[in-house]
Amino acid sequence: MFRSRLGAIFLWALLLPCGPIQAQPDDTPTTNINNNNNNDDEIMLEDFRHPQHDWTTLNDPVMGGRSYSTLTIDNTTGIAHFVGRCAVVPFLHAPGFITMVTGRGFFQPTSHFRDVSTCGALKLVARRTTDDDYDGYFVSFGTVRVPGGRHASGYKAPLPQLYHGTGGEFREIIVPFANFSSKWDETTGRVQVSCRDDARYCPDIKTLQDFQTLSLWGEGVEGDVDLEIQRISAVQCASRDGASLSSYQAFLREQPSRSSSSSQGTTIWIWVGALVLAGAALYMEQERRKRHSELRHPVLGGGGVATTEYESIPGIQLEDRRDEGGDSLA
């Protein structure tokens, strides 16, 4: 029995995964990798000349939040104007958030977006209309939740291109998918663990195939938000025939090699743990045999013999049991 236990321990160690699970480029091509960031292929997600989604605003509702915002969409100019103020929540003593969002809300229908899993980045054509250096702009998509999280959902990235400078002409803001992370602070919106540092928090292929929800935020910074957006699209897209990979697909493909050292370290610790368990099992088996031996043999040469007498119980026939010498045991 002991040998079977020991064998089971080593089998358990062999079957354990040899490292952390990494995000994999599900269903991505396996042919030539093309990291050309100047790829002109583009998939339109929203053009506010002809909006395909229902947009609304959603502000902080926490403990009497005071933030407010409005959204107007002018089909003639093709501009969505998102304006409001991110105010301090009295109970939290910290700024809340405002968002323009589609695909989420009490009375909003579910949104469905085009498949951008072959693309490498999100592109916004937008501008600030104020000269204030408000640095609380974010963009997010998707509905995934990090295990242990409370309210945060989706993949979020900051928009540093909007932090500085003056309002004026519309410009293209490119946000690589590798800049998005599902591990972000619920109170500030700031990314806590980036996709580049831990692939577990990178946008997954399923989400890229359909965002379901898309949001622009003013969050975690007190101040006025005044933003105009013309278009939102996905860019740096690879060919659908599998002739190349997008920059993001190539990035995901590189992740296992980046984590090889951590996988080796994990494997070592698994074997150390298996050896410790095996040693503990060996010690316990030896102790069990030692106690069994002490019960069978008199201690210090003692010649005492223990006997048990059974009384006759009416209606019950006792079995006649004898030891090896033929003496009756009952």
Side-chain angles (χ1 to χ4, degrees), residues 46 52-56 101-114 142-143 210-214:
E46 186 67 289
Q52 300 298 311
H53 304 278
D54 295 324
W55 292 82
T56 187
V101 56
T102 182
R104 176 166 296 180
F106 295 109
F107 304 104
Q108 270 197 306
T110 301
S111 289
H112 293 287
F113 289 81
R114 298 177 64 185
T143 61
D210 184 355
F211 286 173
Q212 295 187 333
T213 181
L214 178 63

Side-chain angles (χ1 to χ4, degrees), residues 120-121 157 175-181 194-197 201-203 247-248 251:
V175 189
F177 286 142
N179 285 12
F180 287 83
S181 172
S194 72
C195 161
R196 299 180 187 277
D197 290 336
Y201 304 118
C202 293
S247 56
Y248 181 64
F251 166 79

Side-chain angles (χ1 to χ4, degrees), residues 70-74 79-83 100 129 226-229:
T70 60
L71 174 66
T72 57
I73 298 177
D74 188 334
I79 294 176
H81 189 194
F82 178 48
V83 60
M100 60 171 286
T129 57
D226 200 329
L227 188 64
E228 292 184 342
I229 309 98

Side-chain angles (χ1 to χ4, degrees), residues 79-241:
I79 294 176
H81 189 194
F82 178 48
V83 60
R85 180 170 181 80
C86 185
V88 172
V89 179
F91 178 81
L92 299 176
H93 303 290
F97 67 87
I98 60 176
T99 66
M100 60 171 286
V101 56
T102 182
R104 176 166 296 180
F106 295 109
F107 304 104
Q108 270 197 306
T110 301
S111 289
H112 293 287
F113 289 81
R114 298 177 64 185
D115 184 350
V116 297
S117 59
T118 60
C119 302
L122 198 67
K123 183 177 85 171
L124 295 85
V125 179
R127 68 178 178 184
R128 287 189 302 106
T129 57
T130 64
D131 292 337
D132 297 333
D133 288 340
Y134 182 79
D135 61 351
Y137 288 110
F138 297 88
V139 59
S140 70
F141 59 80
T143 61
V144 300
R145 291 183 182 273
V146 174
R150 297 177 59 192
H151 308 294
S153 65
Y155 300 97
K156 183 177 284 190
L159 295 172
Q161 298 92 329
L162 293 174
Y163 291 174
H164 305 290
T166 60
E169 298 297 323
F170 283 95
R171 53 179 171 171
E172 296 183 351
I173 300 171
I174 308 296
V175 189
F177 286 142
N179 285 12
F180 287 83
S181 172
S182 59
K183 183 67 173 178
W184 48 274
D185 192 318
E186 297 181 356
T187 58
T188 66
R190 308 292 178 183
V191 171
Q192 294 175 313
V193 182
S194 72
C195 161
R196 299 180 187 277
D197 290 336
D198 193 331
R200 292 177 301 172
Y201 304 118
C202 293
D204 57 45
I205 299 302
K206 182 179 179 181
T207 298
L208 294 177
Q209 290 173 340
D210 184 355
F211 286 173
Q212 295 187 333
T213 181
L214 178 63
S215 303
L216 289 168
W217 301 64
E219 182 179 17
V221 177
E222 184 180 11
D224 295 324
V225 172
D226 200 329
L227 188 64
E228 292 184 342
I229 309 98
Q230 288 183 330
R231 297 183 299 278
I232 304 173
S233 60
V235 294
Q236 302 172 10
C237 304
S239 59
R240 295 278 178 178
D241 59 7

Side-chain angles (χ1 to χ4, degrees), residues 209-318:
Q209 290 173 340
D210 184 355
F211 286 173
Q212 295 187 333
T213 181
L214 178 63
S215 303
L216 289 168
W217 301 64
E219 182 179 17
V221 177
E222 184 180 11
D224 295 324
V225 172
D226 200 329
L227 188 64
E228 292 184 342
I229 309 98
Q230 288 183 330
R231 297 183 299 278
I232 304 173
S233 60
V235 294
Q236 302 172 10
C237 304
S239 59
R240 295 278 178 178
D241 59 7
S244 63
L245 294 180
S246 71
S247 56
Y248 181 64
Q249 291 170 328
F251 166 79
L252 290 182
R253 181 62 57 85
E254 296 172 358
Q255 295 313 295
S257 61
R258 291 184 179 183
S259 63
S260 58
S261 59
S262 62
S263 297
Q264 293 173 358
T266 303
T267 302
I268 292 174
W269 281 111
I270 288 174
W271 279 103
V272 169
L275 291 175
V276 170
L277 289 174
L282 177 61
Y283 174 78
M284 292 173 63
E285 182 67 16
Q286 290 176 341
E287 287 295 308
R288 187 189 69 80
R289 291 186 176 184
K290 182 178 178 181
R291 289 195 300 270
H292 182 67
S293 176
E294 291 175 349
L295 290 173
R296 292 183 59 185
H297 302 285
V299 182
L300 300 177
V305 177
T307 62
T308 303
E309 294 183 356
Y310 296 88
E311 295 183 356
S312 177
I313 302 177
I316 298 179
Q317 180 68 36
L318 295 178

Side-chain angles (χ1 to χ4, degrees), residues 59-79:
N59 306 321
D60 55 70
V62 183
M63 298 299 179
R66 297 177 178 176
S67 301
Y68 59 87
S69 64
T70 60
L71 174 66
T72 57
I73 298 177
D74 188 334
N75 295 338
T76 303
T77 61
I79 294 176

